[in-house]
Amino acid sequence: MQQNIARDKASTVSESRNDKLIGYLQQHLPKLVLAPSFAVILMFVYGFILWTVYLSFSASKMLPNYTWVGLEQWSRLWNTLTWQISLQNLFIFSVLYIGLCIVIGLSLAILLDQKIRLEGGLRTLYLYPMALSFIVTGTAWKWFLNPGLGLERTMHEWGFVDFKFDWLINSDMAIYTVVIAGVWQASGFIMAMFLAGLRGIDNEILKAAQIDGAPAWKIYTRIIIPQLGPVFLSAFVVLLHLAIKSFDLVIALTGGGPGNATSLPATFMYSYSFTRNQIGVGASSAVFMLMIIASIMVPYIYSEIKGGKK
Amino acid sequence: MSFLNIENVNKHYFDVEVLKSINIEINKGDFLVLVGPSGCGKSTLLNMIAGLDEISGGDISIDGQSMAGVHPSKRDIAMVFQSYALYPNMSVAKNISFGLEMRKVPKVERDKAVQKVAKMLQMEQLLDRKPSQLSGGQRQRVAMGRALVREPRVFLFDEPLSNLDAKLRVDMRTEIKQLHQRLGATIVYVTHDQIEAMTLATKIAVMNAGIVQQFGSPEEIYDNPVNTFVAGFMGSPSMNLIQAKVCKVEDKLCFEVATADQDRPLLLPIERDQQALVSYLNRNVTLGLRPETITDPGSANRSEGQIHEADLMVKVTEPTGADMFVVTQLGGTEVVARMRSRCGALAGQSCRFAFDVSRNLAFDGDTGDRIQ
Ligand SMILES: Nc1ncnc2c1ncn2[C@@H]1O[C@H](COP(=O)(O)OP(=O)(O)O)[C@@H](O)[C@H]1O
Ligand SMILES: [Mg+2]
């Protein structure tokens, strides 16, 4: 009798231990499942960021070399003419690219918002370029803008013999061809963002504005566009990081040339790290690009998180 | 000459008829309430008066002037929307003055008008805020201010109180009524709440399924509903609509109503619309009894009504404090009576009910139309 009770006790103890284990598993299973991918990201994204930062202070040339040289690579970077041109190009490119994409995207969205027929079709048409890879866009525009093959030759064949459009091979103008191709690709996407924003505006507000006697363009400038602030911000952030990361578009369209006329920080980084045996300089340019992006993304993400909590 | 005239107005979206030959006329200073269940076309009609929706057929005229093809801003109307529709990027003052600015009223006059309206609605301290910094009730006030500042010929309200909590709704209702009396404005007001309709209106149009079921003063609508829809929709608690048979007892027309006790139907003498009901002898009709016409014998109004008393089984009692709603079974459905709170009725026991038979209404059993 006494033994029986003792055995019962023992079995309930082991049962409750089992329950504890299951409870522990249930509570921690998600963490356990996520742990490997978390470790991989930690290593390959953040680990390599730190590694790159270290390399930018090292004597690395063709291969990584961990001798600490302080700011030597950084000063070399800033004394490189190509880097200065790259930054200047980046400035021209991003200002025009972001500005034109937003202006064109917003205008297209407003036109499409006029409840026209075929809207679905048109919207897809404008969105298609974004589905293409930058390489395809770059190559297509290279052919189109090539004086011997594309637009210029077609115009000559049509009889406009004096027509001249050689921006692609003109080192002063080549950067603008990158702008044209980039804008062509992204403005449809920006249009879709603005269209979603326009559709989100309360219909009754527009009715109220109509009764208040505002003409259509004033309804846009005074009431609708001021409400699109968040869309402008999102479009700006998306476009800016696309601009800073622009690499394949330039490689396919101009290859950074003529000369280094269309070099951008991303192409600079690639060529110094992997073809010119200057890993240290390449790493410092990469870190600098990270700093620009971070200085914009961090406040943006921070404000998004804060806004989300509210 | 009517001030706002809605003549034979139709509306269809593609094949779907939303409004069918609407005819409404009101005078200057009237408070017209369009009331009906959700989806019956009230907002559509209001939007057509405003010019925001196109009319498919018929005509709307204001002050003798046809509004066909007149832009909303040229109709001299102002509208308050259910969502308030404030411009989120503008301050309260800007919201109120935007319409004046678009009409090129000089800034000095605009500011004066804004101040006046802010004072009238007691919101001077809110003028610099953005709509997002206001409570629901305050936004409601701004929306009203935006309408008032223009001093239009007609005010249009689309369910302006439905987003407010119960207490605020009652307060704002009173305030709107006072505004109407003070300004003598012509108002068209949409609501699905029949209490709002009864308290505010000088004229009510009860709508259902795109048709104006009845148009008249609140008293007409309440005392003389033209069909079972209007009868059931207006009034709270709503009118008891029960099956009854018209019969003759000792040469007197009566409604015969089944009770819980099968052998003893309730006989209510017919005192109203007798001539019309003669032809319904031995036929089924729908009998309409307002809860307040069924009371305890002590509170029955013997000087004005004609009282018929009967003992009936009480199913449920619902005390509200001021009154007690007593539920019994009649004609196969539950019937609500409104008694004094201390009348002594107890659930499961018999109780004496007093019917004011002079206020009983009869409706055709098939069509639901009033027999009168
Ligand atoms: N743009 C539209 N297209 C098709 N049907 C509509 C449209 N607007 C409203 N309706 C229909 O018209 C009817 C009346 O709508 P509405 O006037 O908003 O009703 P209420 O304001 O009485 O609730 C509804 O059945 C609705 O589905
Ligand atoms: Mg509505």
Side-chain angles (χ1 to χ4, degrees):
Chain A
M1 187 73 192
Q2 287 240 306
Q3 265 181 347
N4 257 348
I5 292 175
R7 209 182 300 145
D8 278 0
K9 238 184 204 163
S11 79
T12 53
V13 165
S14 83
E15 249 169 46
S16 78
R17 206 172 280 156
N18 258 344
D19 281 355
K20 253 188 200 159
L21 185 65
I22 291 173
Y24 179 85
L25 270 180
Q26 274 178 344
Q27 212 174 353
H28 296 282
L29 194 63
K31 288 177 203 160
L32 290 175
V33 170
L34 284 178
S37 57
F38 184 70
V40 167
I41 289 178
L42 207 63
M43 160 99 190
F44 285 96
V45 177
Y46 296 98
F48 283 168
I49 288 178
L50 290 178
W51 190 52
T52 310
V53 173
Y54 184 83
L55 283 183
S56 72
F57 296 106
S58 74
S60 306
K61 287 261 182 206
M62 191 169 111
L63 290 171
N65 167 349
Y66 299 105
T67 323
W68 182 271
V69 293
L71 288 173
E72 194 186 308
Q73 305 283 17
W74 284 85
S75 72
R76 206 177 306 153
L77 171 72
W78 286 96
N79 286 324
T80 309
L81 181 66
T82 316
W83 174 249
Q84 290 161 9
I85 293 177
S86 296
L87 278 187
Q88 201 181 334
N89 279 342
L90 177 65
F91 180 75
I92 297 174
F93 176 69
S94 32
V95 167
L96 288 176
Y97 175 70
I98 295 173
L100 288 175
C101 275
I102 286 182
V103 168
I104 293 175
L106 180 61
S107 316
L108 286 177
I110 289 176
L111 290 178
L112 271 193
D113 195 36
Q114 308 303 312
K115 297 201 177 79
I116 54 171
R117 267 177 215 213
L118 303 173
E119 186 204 307
L122 281 175
R123 207 170 44 205
T124 338
L125 192 74
Y126 288 124
L127 267 174
Y128 268 133
M130 197 65 184
L132 299 178
S133 79
F134 285 96
I135 293 287
V136 177
T137 307
T139 311
W141 278 91
K142 182 162 85 180
W143 290 339
F144 182 68
L145 294 176
N146 184 314
L149 288 174
L151 184 64
E152 188 172 310
R153 182 161 152 205
T154 313
M155 295 305 265
H156 286 181
E157 279 174 5
W158 283 355
F160 301 96
V161 218
D162 293 336
F163 184 84
K164 190 156 178 280
F165 193 79
D166 62 351
W167 286 12
L168 194 65
I169 52 169
N170 177 338
S171 48
D172 287 334
M173 303 306 276
I175 188 66
Y176 299 106
T177 62
V178 184
V179 173
I180 293 173
V183 168
W184 176 81
Q185 179 158 42
S187 47
F189 174 68
I190 299 303
M191 172 210 74
M193 285 176 73
F194 276 116
L195 197 57
L198 289 176
R199 293 290 149 83
I201 286 176
D202 181 3
N203 214 358
E204 289 194 338
I205 290 185
L206 305 183
K207 288 181 180 176
Q210 254 179 299
I211 291 180
D212 268 345
W217 64 273
K218 261 198 183 149
I219 294 184
Y220 277 105
T221 56
R222 295 285 302 273
I223 291 163
I224 296 181
I225 293 177
Q227 284 184 61
L228 293 180
V231 186
F232 275 97
L233 185 62
S234 305
F236 177 77
V237 169
V238 166
L239 289 170
L240 185 72
H241 98 269
L242 280 180
I244 295 175
K245 290 198 314 193
S246 279
F247 174 77
D248 23 14
L249 185 66
V250 180
I251 294 294
L253 188 65
T254 64
N260 50 16
T262 53
S263 167
L264 285 177
T267 60
F268 175 91
M269 188 275 292
Y270 181 81
S271 82
Y272 271 69
S273 304
F274 303 115
T275 61
R276 295 200 188 190
N277 302 336
Q278 300 270 6
I279 287 189
V281 175
S284 48
S285 70
V287 172
F288 186 73
M289 280 162 65
L290 178 70
M291 278 157 50
I292 315 181
I293 293 192
S295 69
I296 289 152
M297 292 305 260
V298 169
Y300 175 70
I301 291 171
Y302 183 72
S303 76
E304 286 284 291
I305 290 172
K306 231 175 79 182
K309 267 191 195 145
K310 201 169 59 176
Chain B
M1 172 98 200
S2 59
F3 188 68
L4 172 65
N5 197 352
I6 302 171
E7 248 186 293
N8 252 321
V9 162
N10 286 299
K11 175 75 184 175
H12 46 80
Y13 290 108
F14 306 105
D15 302 346
V16 188
E17 270 216 298
V18 177
L19 292 172
K20 292 161 210 157
S21 53
I22 306 286
N23 283 292
I24 294 173
E25 276 183 41
I26 57 168
N27 293 323
K28 204 172 174 129
D30 263 338
F31 197 130
L32 167 67
V33 174
L34 306 175
V35 65
S38 211
C40 70
K42 309 175 298 282
S43 299
T44 307
L45 181 56
L46 199 69
N47 281 339
M48 293 195 323
I49 298 173
L52 297 167
D53 265 350
E54 279 188 31
I55 303 180
S56 308
D59 189 34
I60 292 176
S61 59
I62 297 176
D63 207 2
Q65 207 184 338
S66 168
M67 287 293 123
V70 179
H71 189 267
S73 62
K74 302 268 156 47
R75 295 187 176 202
D76 202 3
I77 48 146
M79 190 154 169
V80 177
F81 295 89
Q82 183 171 8
S83 67
Y84 314 139
L86 302 180
Y87 310 127
N89 51 307
M90 297 184 198
S91 68
V92 168
K94 273 269 175 213
N95 259 287
I96 296 175
S97 65
F98 186 70
L100 298 177
E101 188 189 334
M102 290 299 116
R103 285 176 171 70
K104 310 224 159 47
V105 176
K107 176 129 180 42
V108 188
E109 274 175 55
R110 262 171 13 220
D111 290 346
K112 223 188 269 169
V114 169
Q115 284 302 333
K116 189 175 139 201
V117 166
K119 197 164 170 207
M120 182 166 22
L121 294 173
Q122 292 149 28
M123 52 177 194
E124 290 122 310
Q125 73 288 358
L126 302 179
L127 286 177
D128 295 326
R129 296 211 202 151
K130 287 273 170 70
S132 58
Q133 299 165 312
L134 302 176
S135 70
Q138 290 170 330
R139 282 179 210 185
Q140 223 293 306
R141 261 164 211 279
V142 178
M144 300 249 299
R146 190 167 65 179
L148 285 170
V149 77
R150 298 240 322 272
E151 302 181 352
R153 287 189 294 188
V154 182
F155 287 94
L156 307 175
F157 290 85
D158 193 352
E159 310 218 14
L161 306 184
S162 61
N163 287 340
L164 299 179
D165 61 58
K167 163 119 179 45
L168 209 50
R169 188 151 51 200
V170 174
D171 293 348
M172 281 310 286
R173 197 169 73 196
T174 316
E175 211 159 319
I176 291 178
K177 180 147 191 163
Q178 282 169 352
L179 268 178
H180 172 242
Q181 286 165 352
R182 190 141 42 105
L183 302 174
T186 310
I187 295 177
V188 183
Y189 186 106
V190 164
T191 179
H192 63 265
D193 179 353
Q194 49 87 22
I195 298 181
E196 253 171 53
M198 288 299 294
T199 46
L200 290 172
T202 61
K203 284 279 163 55
I204 294 181
V206 184
M207 295 176 61
N208 189 33
I211 296 171
V212 173
Q213 304 285 333
Q214 187 171 3
F215 173 63
S217 68
E219 297 74 33
E220 278 165 355
I221 302 267
Y222 192 78
D223 296 333
N224 277 311
V226 295
N227 56 32
T228 47
F229 176 82
V230 177
F233 193 80
M234 303 301 289
S236 167
S238 57
M239 183 187 275
N240 300 297
L241 293 167
I242 56 183
Q243 279 244 345
K245 201 169 126 187
V246 180
C247 63
K248 216 166 208 174
V249 179
E250 296 164 2
D251 253 18
K252 218 174 146 30
L253 275 182
C254 286
F255 292 115
E256 185 188 310
V257 184
T259 61
D261 183 353
Q262 291 202 337
D263 305 328
R264 285 183 36 216
L266 174 67
L267 288 174
L268 293 173
I270 296 178
E271 300 291 346
R272 196 172 169 181
D273 310 316
Q274 270 174 348
Q275 253 112 26
L277 278 161
V278 169
S279 59
Y280 280 82
L281 191 60
N282 293 325
R283 279 169 63 189
N284 279 331
V285 294
T286 304
L287 177 61
L289 308 171
R290 290 248 178 240
E292 66 270 21
T293 67
I294 314 173
T295 56
D296 53 294
S299 46
N301 184 350
R302 283 161 211 282
S303 55
E304 280 175 30
Q306 276 162 300
I307 305 303
H308 179 90
E309 295 183 16
D311 287 313
L312 295 166
M313 206 59 149
V314 176
K315 270 182 94 174
V316 185
T317 59
E318 294 171 353
T320 65
D323 300 305
M324 175 144 73
F325 293 116
V326 180
V327 181
T328 181
Q329 181 96 12
L330 275 181
T333 51
E334 290 184 347
V335 165
V336 179
R338 183 177 194 159
M339 302 198 175
R340 266 182 307 139
S341 58
R342 277 182 213 81
C343 63
L346 283 175
Q349 293 188 4
S350 179
C351 168
R352 197 148 182 84
F353 286 70
F355 293 85
D356 181 354
V357 291
S358 67
R359 291 179 63 189
N360 290 352
L361 305 173
F363 302 92
D364 188 293
D366 301 321
T367 63
D369 286 337
R370 174 83 182 282
I371 305 166
Q372 59 181 345

